[in-house]
Amino acid sequence: LSSVVVDVAIQDYVADVASELIYKNTSQISAEILFVFPLGPHMDIYSFQACSEDAKVQAMLRDEVQQLHDATGGCEDLEYLLEPSQCPGEVFVCFLGTLSPGKEMVVTLRYVQELSREPDGAARFVLPATLHPHTKHYGRAFALPRATFLFAVWDCLTSKLVYSLLLTASLQSPRGVANVQANFSLTPLIYTAQDRSTARVSLAGSPPSHEDLELLVYFGEPTALSAVVEKGDPGAPPGSLLGDPMVLLTLAPSIPEAVPGQRQSGEFIFLLDTTFLEHAQSLPRPACYVFPQDSLLFLLKSLPLGCYFNIYCYGETSVGIYPQSVEYTQDNLTEALQRIPSSSSSLGETNLLGTLRSIYSIPRRCGHTRQLFIFMTGLPPDKEAIAAEVCHHRNSHRCFSFCFSKDSAALATALASETGGEATYVSSDNNMTVVVLQCLKRALKPAAEGVSLSWTLPHGLEVEVLGGTPQSIFQGQHSLLYAQIHGQAQDTTVAKGVVTLQYSLDGQDITHTVDFPLCPQGDGRLAGHRRAARCLLKRLLPEAASGSGDEPRHRTVEISLTSGIISPFTSYVGVCTSQRGTWYRGPLALLPPRQSLTPCQIVTLRASFRGSSCYPKTIWVPPGWLTAVCQSWLALRRLAQGIAALPQQGACSKGIINTHFDKMCWGDIKRGLGTWLSRNARRRECQELVALQNVDGSWALSSRLASVLKVDEAEIKGKMPGEVMDPSIWATVLAVTWLHRHDKNYQDFCELLEAKAVTWLCSQAVSQLDKCLQAANTLLGSSVKPSVFRL
């Protein structure tokens, strides 16, 4: 790599990146060149070409995917890329042919990307490592199996980059560009409009040689609603996707944090693969301790009062505990826990698709955001239909997906990303409960409900929101929408339109209004139009994939070809043309001799899972493990360090490394084993205590509670302060004190349960809590501070 030129255009939270890279073959022999470009989140390539003295390779989108597959040999030339890699995800790859010694190749790449929004409202842009390769990048991002495509980009003696980088950024926002921050030197911000709505900034000096380039763009005062208008392509016909103006809307309501433990709305639906239940029955007790029953217990007990819930166990058929979600009450929760099957009598291919369709057919409760917690042991056979179904309902709910096998990780990630949720690969059932509860904490963040948009435009104009409007926006999140203006205004004197955002927050209706120009200016790069095309393609995909007719598929292909954004019905093909030849647009079967097709595709890399920091390791420990580990000090030492995972279907390595037993490690083994057994014993006690907690957060004074606390029931009753009239208050103070005595061990497990209990106590008997806490500390031999009870 000898030089890179990057020109970035940022409109609020959408970026268009045009880059040119010049590579030179400095070796004494010819080299075959493969260009690899990992695609980040919400990123789409719309133009690529590479030129040398002899030929030009241009990436083109074409219909008839199967014909292109046959013409280019499919993935056969790129199969090694599909082997496990440390950089999983989609990548754009194109074979560029052979480059002679001393010759140069110029690569031109253009893409669009939605930018993340920082908590303070800044738009965050990161230059991909392909456009700025550096010392930290090498050895991880492009570590591909069987072959390594690396260029000498820095001097090993000075650690300085040996290529030049020119980076310029043009910035636009109707709120005004307030400031720019970066982890590299910048030129002064130059405003190109009097109202400071547009500005330019560039890289000053040499870029850092050890980290990615990151740019934070701060606009004017953060608002709940902002609108950027992008003019259409003058060469495109009016009424088409690229021909009409596009409004880029950013919805970012200001939502305060919720107080933990208080009543809260929401609908929480849990989907359990029945293979979990069957698998758990065949495992030793330590393994089935965490999932499914115990993790589900902690999860259900941590839900807030005021919400609704339901549980589906899906296998060959889908079984809902209730026909539809029910209110979170003590009776409903007790009944649900009793009705969860301990095993499945009809195991087979999982019917997740049918379960989802059953849930989506039930109307969402007004004022209650719907969130799904999906647990998958393996990859369902109809994964494309599942992803399409979730995408179709993406605006009505969020998905938190948990996968327990490598092959289902991609589907879990897709479901979560489509709906604004999160995906987790769980490789150790020791941390299953913690992982689920951490996701529940994020799911409990308050949300703006009943989100809607209304428009005021001159007669003759109408607006189409591509991809639809989300029904809810959660605290800390934002939504980027694309709305296209169609038609011809009859009153040309009206220069602006108005859009109004309405939503409900804690039962209060809130309205925000902003205006936007009807005759926009712009640079013609159409970044918003291309991202809008992606949203429209997602909306059309379920219908096009169903095969119900040719029209949805035809519309999908048309949008893909005109916008340059790939779809499932189009494919990239590298068209190689001699520089001395003439471009020819004939059918594939009639390509002239000087034009040929080369492999050029977007492929998905799988994670290697070996030594990857993205996914924890899993070690399988069989029944009778105590005898086995004595034959392997390494395996037992891993157990003692707390990283040993227990049996896990679809995600276990059924082997134990056989090494000579090291007598010097015997002391460490005994101490580690003792710690492990003690910790699990305390967790079982914690589980038993949680099982006794009521949904309102309280505990009843009972012999079972005394047994868990290891205190005689008569002594508990005798130590109860005389001022306490309700024994449940005393019992709840004891339970919270016991939990907090082991704060380090149980903080991740019981934080939500404790908050709910303290909220209940504060609503019942604030004046009695001081004396109750003193008595509880004396009885249990603890020193829990009053601040735990908000005193």
Side-chain angles (χ1 to χ4, degrees):
L1 182 64
S2 60
S3 71
V4 182
V5 178
V6 181
D7 180 27
V8 185
I10 297 177
Q11 300 182 107
D12 264 14
Y13 300 99
V14 174
D16 182 286
V17 182
S19 61
E20 181 182 271
L21 304 94
I22 300 179
Y23 297 96
K24 184 175 182 179
N25 185 4
T26 58
S27 67
Q28 301 301 314
I29 59 174
S30 297
E32 288 191 340
I33 308 300
L34 180 69
F35 185 83
V36 181
F37 185 76
L39 296 175
H42 310 293
M43 182 187 292
D44 290 290
I45 291 178
Y46 67 90
S47 176
F48 173 85
Q49 73 173 23
C51 295
S52 64
E53 290 184 1
D54 300 324
K56 178 178 74 172
V57 176
Q58 186 170 9
M60 304 289 290
L61 274 180
R62 297 286 181 85
D63 193 4
E64 304 297 340
V65 175
Q66 187 58 47
Q67 291 184 23
L68 293 173
H69 180 280
D70 297 338
T72 61
C75 283
E76 293 176 3
D77 295 329
L78 307 174
E79 271 190 353
Y80 71 91
L81 284 174
L82 302 178
E83 297 177 15
S85 168
Q86 291 186 19
C87 51
E90 286 189 335
V91 296
F92 172 85
V93 293
C94 186
F95 179 70
L96 302 181
T98 303
L99 189 64
S100 303
K103 300 298 183 179
E104 290 186 345
M105 179 168 288
V106 180
V107 174
T108 304
L109 172 72
R110 293 173 177 259
Y111 68 89
V112 292
Q113 182 180 23
E114 286 187 8
L115 304 182
S116 61
R117 181 180 183 273
E118 298 296 289
D120 57 6
R124 180 175 180 267
F125 171 77
V126 178
L127 191 65
T130 305
L131 306 184
H132 173 51
H134 50 79
T135 55
K136 183 179 178 181
H137 155 70
Y138 280 108
R140 59 176 181 88
F142 291 138
L144 301 176
R146 284 183 48 191
T148 304
F149 301 91
L150 304 179
F151 296 89
V153 295
W154 76 91
D155 190 301
C156 297
L157 298 178
T158 64
S159 295
K160 292 183 178 180
L161 299 175
V162 296
Y163 66 89
S164 62
L165 173 63
L166 175 61
L167 172 66
T168 59
S170 58
L171 317 171
Q172 177 190 357
S173 175
R175 292 178 287 155
V177 180
N179 188 25
V180 177
Q181 295 181 5
N183 62 346
F184 55 93
S185 299
L186 288 172
T187 60
L189 191 64
I190 300 176
Y191 291 100
T192 54
Q194 290 185 349
D195 59 359
R196 297 196 169 191
S197 60
T198 60
R200 290 185 66 83
V201 70
S202 303
L203 168 69
S206 300
S209 60
H210 59 283
E211 59 185 347
D212 294 332
L213 299 187
E214 180 179 299
L215 196 68
L216 295 177
V217 183
Y218 292 86
F219 305 111
E221 188 67 25
T223 58
L225 175 64
S226 63
V228 175
V229 186
E230 182 179 88
K231 70 176 183 179
D233 182 1
S240 66
L241 178 65
L242 298 184
D244 288 346
M246 188 74 65
V247 185
L248 284 63
L249 292 171
T250 303
L251 280 53
S254 177
I255 304 173
E257 290 281 357
V259 178
Q262 288 189 342
R263 291 182 64 89
Q264 209 169 326
S265 62
E267 182 185 18
F268 301 90
I269 302 177
F270 307 98
L271 290 78
L272 308 180
D273 190 335
T274 50
T275 54
F276 279 134
L277 306 172
E278 183 75 9
H279 182 57
Q281 304 305 309
S282 63
L283 300 178
R285 176 57 191 170
C288 62
Y289 153 65
V290 179
F291 196 87
Q293 303 289 3
D294 300 348
S295 287
L296 188 61
L297 172 67
F298 276 86
L299 191 58
L300 293 174
K301 290 284 187 174
S302 299
L303 293 177
L305 287 174
C307 75
Y308 284 75
F309 80 102
N310 202 357
I311 304 169
Y312 286 82
C313 301
Y314 66 92
E316 285 187 343
T317 59
S318 174
V319 180
I321 298 300
Y322 296 103
Q324 61 183 12
S325 297
V326 296
E327 187 179 357
Y328 183 65
T329 64
Q330 186 64 50
D331 291 341
N332 286 338
L333 178 59
T334 301
E335 181 182 0
L337 291 173
Q338 293 173 348
R339 294 177 62 182
I340 296 175
S342 59
S343 63
S344 172
S345 58
S346 59
L347 296 178
E349 293 183 346
T350 56
N351 188 27
L352 178 57
L353 178 60
T355 306
L356 290 170
R357 287 175 174 169
S358 176
I359 293 172
Y360 295 146
S361 67
I362 302 173
R364 191 172 69 99
R365 291 185 175 273
C366 181
H368 292 269
T369 56
R370 173 174 286 176
Q371 300 187 79
L372 307 185
F373 285 66
I374 305 177
F375 300 87
M376 294 182 288
T377 54
L379 182 63
D382 45 5
K383 60 181 185 294
E384 291 85 2
I386 291 172
E389 189 72 20
V390 171
C391 180
H392 182 66
H393 297 274
R394 62 192 301 267
N395 288 323
S396 64
H397 72 301
R398 282 202 304 182
C399 285
F400 290 85
S401 47
F402 307 87
C403 58
F404 293 77
S405 62
K406 304 170 188 177
D407 55 355
S408 60
L411 176 61
T413 301
L415 302 186
S417 62
E418 281 295 334
T419 58
E422 295 183 20
T424 304
Y425 174 81
V426 183
S427 66
S428 168
D429 54 5
N430 280 336
N431 65 10
M432 179 63 206
T433 303
V434 175
V435 167
V436 173
L437 290 177
Q438 287 174 345
C439 287
L440 178 61
K441 286 178 61 178
R442 291 186 281 272
L444 289 176
K445 288 184 177 293
E449 294 280 353
V451 177
S452 65
L453 293 172
S454 58
W455 303 79
T456 302
L457 296 171
H459 188 66
L461 295 181
E462 60 180 14
V463 172
E464 177 187 8
V465 179
L466 306 180
T469 304
Q471 299 178 10
S472 305
I473 300 177
F474 287 83
Q475 192 268 334
Q477 292 188 332
H478 73 284
S479 183
L480 188 58
L481 306 182
Y482 303 91
Q484 191 154 38
I485 303 175
H486 301 294
Q488 186 69 39
Q490 296 183 6
D491 185 357
T492 57
T493 63
V494 180
K496 293 183 177 181
V498 178
V499 58
T500 300
L501 167 67
Q502 294 178 308
Y503 58 89
S504 175
L505 188 61
D506 292 332
Q508 180 182 1
D509 293 332
I510 300 176
T511 300
H512 297 279
T513 300
V514 68
D515 54 17
F516 56 90
L518 294 177
C519 298
Q521 304 296 318
D523 55 11
R525 294 176 69 163
L526 303 177
H529 284 74
R530 298 189 203 281
R531 285 303 304 171
R534 166 61 67 195
C535 292
L536 190 55
L537 288 171
K538 287 184 177 180
R539 193 183 74 177
L540 292 172
L541 178 59
E543 187 177 359
S546 66
S548 56
D550 293 335
E551 180 57 30
R553 185 189 185 283
H554 176 75
R555 175 69 171 148
T556 300
V557 172
E558 179 187 14
I559 293 173
S560 176
L561 297 180
T562 56
S563 65
I565 305 301
I566 195 170
S567 78
F569 303 106
T570 53
S571 178
Y572 278 116
V573 58
V575 180
C576 182
T577 308
S578 170
Q579 294 289 62
R580 296 177 294 274
T582 302
W583 178 254
Y584 180 74
R585 295 182 179 270
L588 292 178
L590 301 177
L591 291 175
R594 291 187 177 181
Q595 180 177 324
S596 60
L597 302 182
T598 65
C600 175
Q601 302 179 33
I602 288 182
V603 299
T604 301
L605 302 186
R606 295 186 294 111
S608 66
F609 295 91
R610 294 189 297 268
S612 173
S613 59
C614 300
Y615 303 101
K617 296 179 181 179
T618 299
I619 304 169
W620 184 75
V621 183
W625 56 269
L626 194 55
T627 301
V629 295
C630 287
Q631 300 173 359
S632 172
W633 68 267
L634 179 60
L636 188 53
R637 200 166 191 181
R638 288 176 177 171
L639 280 172
Q641 293 171 349
I643 64 170
L646 300 169
Q648 186 85 239
Q649 177 171 343
C652 38
S653 175
K654 298 185 178 181
I656 293 182
I657 302 174
N658 293 314
T659 64
H660 293 292
F661 184 76
D662 190 344
K663 295 182 180 180
M664 299 299 293
C665 295
W666 183 243
D668 291 340
I669 290 175
K670 290 195 294 184
R671 285 190 295 271
L673 181 58
T675 300
W676 186 81
L677 293 174
S678 175
R679 183 179 302 163
N680 277 274
R682 290 198 299 269
R683 285 182 180 177
R684 285 194 293 271
E685 293 171 354
C686 179
Q687 173 202 342
E688 294 169 3
L689 183 64
V690 169
L692 297 176
Q693 188 181 26
N694 299 316
V695 297
D696 60 4
S698 66
W699 274 267
L701 188 58
S702 65
S703 57
R704 292 182 61 191
L705 176 63
S707 176
V708 175
L709 300 179
K710 291 184 170 54
V711 181
D712 184 74
E713 183 179 5
E715 185 178 2
I716 289 179
K717 293 180 179 179
K719 297 292 184 180
M720 183 174 69
E723 296 85 351
V724 178
M725 304 302 295
D726 185 356
S728 293
I729 295 175
W730 172 235
T732 304
V733 171
L734 283 173
V736 173
T737 303
W738 187 92
L739 286 174
H740 217 275
R741 183 179 63 176
H742 304 285
D743 181 65
K744 292 183 179 180
N745 293 325
Y746 301 138
Q747 183 65 29
D748 292 334
F749 291 92
C750 301
E751 182 180 357
L752 294 172
L753 299 172
E754 181 184 298
K756 190 158 58 168
V758 172
T759 298
W760 180 84
L761 285 170
C762 292
S763 68
Q764 299 294 317
V766 176
S767 60
Q768 306 169 23
L769 291 184
D770 274 327
K771 292 187 177 180
C772 284
L773 177 57
Q774 293 176 8
N777 278 332
T778 301
L779 180 62
L780 299 178
S782 58
S783 57
V784 176
K785 297 180 179 179
S787 58
V788 172
F789 293 87
R790 304 173 190 169
L791 298 177

